[in-house]
């Protein structure tokens, strides 16, 4: 037997180390050639490391979350045959080592600034993106299943022990479901006769502790026990006597006190469970911390009357044809931003604080905050200024699905100039979204709600939505932010303006 040391190969230019994110084997496991041993993550990709040989795992080097330098031993295997003990595996790369699309992009290009949530229209239609806030990640849902330890007879089945004879006779039925015949005095197995309680004394009180008997019956109890009951403020009509002829004893008083005692308080819990934050979750935490620490946020919330836009959306969806995608609210927001941002170039921008430079972009690349199984990502719809409403819906669906399925490319997860993050039907009244660093603004639609409003001094119910937003106060002043959101509100409340092409007239 020989040993083989599997080392972390050179997995890309400029990559000196990788983080161990998941072990797929443990000591003692037998592995086959090309079987996945471990997942590692670099700044560029998450990569499956596969074994070039078959063998048995002798030792694992490093825990999940540890950093491993290139060339360091990850797994030691016991192998058969003539393979050299220290033979290095072939160089791995995202192309030949099971690379998956990058989940460790700079958070400015990836993580969602709000909590996960499905974006739905008011009619319950699922929005393409989930629009989360970094402050909360919703927990994973638990689906209750059947208890494998419980079993019941099938329909119509009856087991000999499933129903005592006494229970059947009490119901007036025999084991065969028939009424019992009158029992003959000459029965070969006569039932023993138990002397009953004295008439008028115990029979009326032998019902239950919850049933108050007739108060005119005689209660059998010793004088000392009666005085004790009075001292304890016990109503003897509710006490079941177990002494001779139903006499109430001190033990019966104790049992009654115990039965009426209050339920014990909920038991205190003492456990503390630690979970190491690694991989993508740690990257998200680092980038959110950077955003919150380095960007002086201020938030602005405005309510919008979405009645006309929601009516238009429903009408368009009802008449769409062929391969036209179903429209959610976000494509309308995208087109409204494409109309508006050229008037506010400092909002469609990145701020490089270290260089003291604001980079204002002519193209409009909108990030869509999306919840995925791997964490919060921001896939990007590029050049929204050149897309119509159908193109926006189609491209948004494509990139968000790619992110959720783990096949989004680096380019699809980077380069946004402003971000949309929608809580949708999971909603809430308002939010304070965290800016997607190094951008300077983020827009967060909340859920649609029917609310009474005054129009021409009359109350009417309208479909309303609170529009949340956050801005980098180093770049966007409060006045400019309010003006920007008010202009966006005007477009949303008058959706025909979204589709009017702007041209310069000489």
């Amino acid at each position: 037997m020989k040993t083989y040391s599997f080392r972390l190969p050179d997995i890309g230019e400029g990559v000196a180390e990788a983080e161990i994110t998941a072990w797929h084997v443990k000591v003692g496991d037998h592995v086959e050639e090309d079987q996945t041993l471990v997942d590692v993550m670099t700044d560029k990709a998450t990569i499956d490391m596969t074994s070039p040989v078959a063998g048995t795992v002798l030792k694992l080097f490093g825990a999940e979350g540890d950093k491993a330098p290139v060339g360091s031993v990850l797994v030691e295997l016991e192998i058969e045959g003539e393979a050299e003990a220290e033979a290095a595996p072939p160089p791995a790369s995202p192309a030949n080592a099971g690379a998956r699309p990058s989940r460790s992009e700079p958070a400015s290009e990836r993580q969602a600034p709000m909590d996960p949530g499905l974006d739905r229209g008011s009619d319950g239609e699922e929005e393409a993106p989930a629009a989360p806030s970094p402050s909360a990640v919703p927990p994973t849902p638990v689906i209750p299943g059947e208890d494998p330890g419980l079993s019941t007879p099938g329909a119509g089945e009856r087991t000999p022990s499933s129903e005592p004879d006494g229970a059947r006779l009490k119901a007036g039925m025999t084991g065969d479901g028939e009424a019992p015949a009158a029992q003959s005095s000459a029965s070969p197995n006569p039932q023993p006769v138990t002397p009953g309680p004295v008439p008028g004394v115990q029979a009326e009180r032998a019902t239950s502790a919850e049933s108050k008997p007739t108060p005119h019956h005689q209660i059998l109890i010793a004088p000392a026990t009666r005085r004790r009951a009075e001292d304890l403020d016990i109503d003897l009509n509710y006490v079941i006597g177990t002494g001779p002829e139903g006499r109430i004893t001190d033990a019966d008083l104790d049992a009654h006190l115990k039965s009426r005692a209050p339920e014990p308080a909920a038991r205190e819990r003492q456990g503390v469970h630690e979970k190491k934050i690694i991989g993508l979750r740690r990257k998200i935490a680092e980038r959110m911390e950077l955003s919150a620490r380095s960007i002086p946020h201020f938030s602005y919330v405005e309510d919008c009357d979405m009645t006309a836009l929601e009516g238009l959306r429903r009408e368009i969806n009802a008449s769409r044809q062929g391969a036209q995608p179903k429209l959610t609210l976000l494509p309308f927001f995208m087109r409204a931003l494409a109309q508006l941002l050229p008037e506010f170039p400092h909002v469609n921008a990145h701020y490089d604080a270290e260089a003291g430079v604001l980079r204002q972009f002519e193209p409009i690349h909108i990030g869509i905050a999306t919840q995925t199984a791997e964490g919060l990502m921001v896939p990007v719809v590029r050049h929204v200024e050149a897309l119509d409403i159908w193109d926006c819906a189609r491209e948004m669906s494509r990139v968000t699905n790619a992110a959720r399925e783990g096949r989004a490319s680096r380019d699809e997860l980077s380069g946004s100039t402003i971000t949309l993050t929608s809580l949708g039907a999971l909603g809430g009244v308002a939010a304070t979204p965290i800016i997607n660093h190094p951008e300077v603004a983020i827009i967060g639609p909340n859920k649609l709600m029917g609310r009474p409003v005054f129009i021409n001094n009359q109350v009417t119910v309208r479909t309303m939505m609170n529009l949340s937003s956050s801005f980098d106060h180093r770049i966007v002043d409060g006045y400019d932010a309010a003006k920007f959101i008010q202009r966006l509100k005007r477009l949303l409340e008058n959706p025909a303006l979204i589709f009017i092409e702007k041209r310069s007239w000489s």
Side-chain angles (χ1 to χ4, degrees):
M1 296 291 185
K2 294 184 178 181
T3 60
Y4 177 87
S5 296
F6 177 83
R7 300 175 182 273
L8 180 65
D10 182 358
I11 50 180
E13 182 179 354
V15 176
E17 63 180 8
E19 179 183 348
I20 298 172
T21 57
W23 284 106
H24 293 279
V25 295
K26 60 182 181 298
V27 173
D29 284 356
H30 178 78
V31 300
E32 300 293 340
E33 186 176 349
D34 293 330
Q35 181 176 334
T36 300
L37 300 174
V38 62
D39 290 350
V40 298
M41 187 175 76
T42 70
D43 288 337
K44 298 181 179 179
T46 297
I47 304 173
D48 301 328
M49 291 295 171
T50 58
S51 176
V53 297
T56 301
V57 177
L58 296 177
K59 191 172 181 180
L60 304 179
F61 295 85
E64 293 179 355
D66 289 351
K67 296 292 184 68
V70 169
S72 62
V73 178
L74 295 179
V75 185
E76 189 174 281
L77 300 167
E78 183 180 62
I79 60 175
E80 298 181 357
E82 302 301 323
E84 297 182 5
E86 290 295 326
S93 68
N96 63 13
R100 296 195 294 271
S102 170
R103 303 186 189 92
S104 57
E105 313 300 337
S108 62
E109 303 164 348
R110 228 188 62 252
Q111 55 263 18
M114 295 184 67
D115 260 337
L118 293 177
D119 186 6
R120 300 177 185 273
S122 62
D123 55 356
E125 299 164 359
E126 182 176 337
E127 296 281 356
S133 164
S135 60
V137 174
T140 304
V142 178
I143 301 176
E146 295 183 358
D147 186 342
L150 299 177
S151 60
T152 57
E157 295 181 7
R158 182 184 296 274
T159 62
S161 60
S162 64
E163 190 174 330
D165 289 342
R168 294 195 298 271
L169 293 175
K170 184 176 181 181
M173 302 294 291
T174 67
D176 295 328
E178 298 176 354
Q183 187 172 355
S184 168
S185 60
S187 171
N189 296 304
Q191 296 296 322
V193 179
T194 303
V198 176
V201 177
Q202 182 65 13
E204 294 145 333
R205 296 193 294 107
T207 54
S208 70
E210 291 74 25
S211 302
K212 185 173 182 177
T214 305
H216 303 294
H217 70 274
Q218 180 184 0
I219 295 176
L220 299 182
I221 185 170
T225 306
R226 184 184 294 275
R227 285 194 299 271
R228 182 178 177 231
E230 291 174 354
D231 292 341
L232 294 173
D233 194 25
I234 295 176
D235 186 345
L236 295 176
N237 288 306
Y238 287 97
V239 181
I240 301 292
T242 60
E245 298 182 344
R247 182 181 298 274
I248 295 175
T249 66
D250 283 327
D252 296 331
L253 297 183
D254 294 337
H256 178 75
L257 288 172
K258 185 177 181 180
S259 69
R260 77 178 191 182
E263 291 293 325
R267 186 165 58 92
E268 294 181 351
R269 298 188 179 99
Q270 302 296 334
V272 176
H273 305 278
E274 294 186 354
K275 180 181 178 181
K276 194 169 184 179
I277 302 301
I278 64 173
L280 180 62
R281 188 75 263 166
R282 183 163 69 183
K283 291 286 186 183
I284 291 173
E286 291 172 353
R287 300 304 297 185
M288 288 295 97
E289 182 181 6
L290 173 62
S291 292
R293 184 181 67 247
S294 63
I295 299 177
H297 286 65
F298 78 94
S299 295
Y300 183 90
V301 181
E302 181 60 270
D303 63 343
C304 298
D305 187 340
M306 304 290 285
T307 307
L309 192 149
E310 181 63 3
L312 175 63
R313 185 185 72 86
R314 290 174 179 272
E315 184 66 28
I316 293 176
N317 281 334
S319 59
R320 61 194 176 96
Q321 299 178 352
Q324 289 177 328
K326 179 174 285 190
L327 296 179
T328 63
L329 286 176
L330 289 188
F332 292 92
F333 273 84
M334 295 164 71
R335 286 301 311 150
L337 288 174
Q339 286 270 30
L340 189 59
L341 284 172
E343 301 176 32
F344 297 84
H346 59 299
V347 175
N348 190 49
H350 289 177
Y351 179 49
D352 185 342
E354 189 172 330
V357 173
L358 180 68
R359 297 183 177 90
Q360 300 179 157
F361 298 94
E362 290 188 9
I364 299 171
H365 305 319
I366 298 180
I368 308 295
T370 305
Q371 173 66 14
T372 76
E374 297 292 335
L376 303 171
M377 297 185 183
V378 184
V380 183
V381 178
R382 296 183 177 278
H383 292 289
V384 175
E385 74 279 2
L387 304 179
D388 63 20
I389 193 76
W390 301 108
D391 294 331
C392 287
R394 191 176 295 107
E395 186 65 7
M396 182 181 68
S397 177
R398 185 187 69 79
V399 297
T400 55
N401 286 336
R404 291 192 185 100
E405 295 167 7
R407 51 183 177 80
S409 67
R410 180 182 177 88
D411 287 343
E412 290 170 331
L413 295 171
S414 61
S416 58
T417 58
I418 189 171
T419 294
L420 273 174
T421 176
S422 172
L423 290 174
L426 297 180
V429 175
T432 55
I434 294 180
I435 295 169
N436 192 14
H437 184 276
E439 297 168 19
V440 299
I442 183 169
I443 310 299
N446 295 98
K447 68 179 179 181
L448 295 172
M449 294 182 289
R451 295 206 301 256
V453 296
F454 276 97
I455 298 179
N456 297 326
N457 294 324
Q458 292 186 346
V459 177
T460 183
V461 175
R462 305 288 288 179
T463 301
M464 305 297 292
M465 182 191 71
N466 286 345
L467 180 60
S468 301
S469 58
S470 292
F471 298 90
D472 186 338
H473 216 328
R474 297 171 298 182
I475 304 302
V476 184
D477 297 329
Y479 175 84
D480 288 338
K483 185 177 178 181
F484 175 78
I485 294 300
Q486 290 296 330
R487 292 292 301 279
L488 180 58
K489 170 186 169 84
R490 178 172 176 265
L491 291 174
L492 297 174
E493 292 185 339
N494 301 276
L497 298 177
I498 295 175
F499 300 95
I500 296 178
E501 183 180 356
K502 289 188 176 181
R503 295 181 179 178
S504 58
W505 297 87
S506 56

